[in-house]
Amino acid sequence: MAQKVFNKDDHEVLVNTPQELIDATVEKVQKFLDKNFPEHLSFGNGSFTIARGSTQVMIIVRPFTNKETSVECISQVVTGAKISSELMNFLLRKNAELHFGAFGLYFDNTITYSHAIAGTHLDENELLNTLNTVAVIADHYDDKIVEIAGGKRATDLLDDISMF
């Protein structure tokens, strides 16, 4: 049984999620992807990817609490952009306008868009809406970001790889 841990505000915080919850969430995600995105890739470790438009969306099942998992949908929107105050201002304003998810930066300055949902009671509609939202927003804004700051969209990187 997982140990309960609480922060200074007496809220339960990240603890060891039981493996059976993680496995059950992975199975649900796999089932929904098999049905709706038969071309998806599974990496066998609770992570998957789908291609949509000019982007790809990673789906990652993660531990969260001792009673809940998280399903994170992440798109690498643009790689190699010039990170400037103009770009950061644009991304932060978009974060304030968008209903779900947020733009972010990886350690290598890759611009991402992601949204996470609870996984233990995940239903198909919720996962599909999350995947579609992340894909549509990433696909829409990748061109705008490249105009502002340069860089390459996910599809541009795949084109580069396929040339070899």
Side-chain angles (χ1 to χ4, degrees), residues 20 28 32 52-53 102 112 127 138 143:
E20 58 268 14
K28 281 186 207 175
F32 297 154
R52 294 284 308 273
T112 64
L127 179 60
D143 294 320

Side-chain angles (χ1 to χ4, degrees), residues 58-84:
M58 291 287 301
I59 303 100
I60 304 170
V61 176
R62 298 186 188 276
F64 187 47
T65 69
N66 63 347
K67 296 179 182 174
E68 188 60 76
T69 59
S70 172
V71 178
E72 188 173 9
C73 297
I74 310 162
S75 179
Q76 294 187 11
V77 182
V78 175
T79 301
K82 182 179 187 290
I83 306 302
S84 66

Side-chain angles (χ1 to χ4, degrees), residues 147-158:
E147 282 178 29
I148 293 169
K152 293 187 175 197
R153 304 169 303 156
T155 193
D156 300 330
L157 295 173
L158 291 175

Side-chain angles (χ1 to χ4, degrees), residues 50-58 73-79 90-91 94-95 98 100-104 110-115 129-147 152-156:
I50 63 165
R52 294 284 308 273
S54 62
T55 194
Q56 291 196 341
V57 179
M58 291 287 301
C73 297
I74 310 162
S75 179
Q76 294 187 11
V77 182
V78 175
T79 301
F90 174 81
L91 295 175
K94 290 301 166 192
N95 281 349
L98 296 169
F100 300 101
F103 286 101
T110 295
I111 299 165
T112 64
Y113 188 79
S114 64
H115 181 62
N129 282 328
T130 300
L131 280 170
N132 287 326
T133 297
V134 171
V136 166
I137 289 172
D139 189 33
H140 177 76
Y141 284 104
D142 59 2
D143 294 320
K144 294 180 185 308
I145 293 168
V146 168
E147 282 178 29
K152 293 187 175 197
R153 304 169 303 156
T155 193
D156 300 330

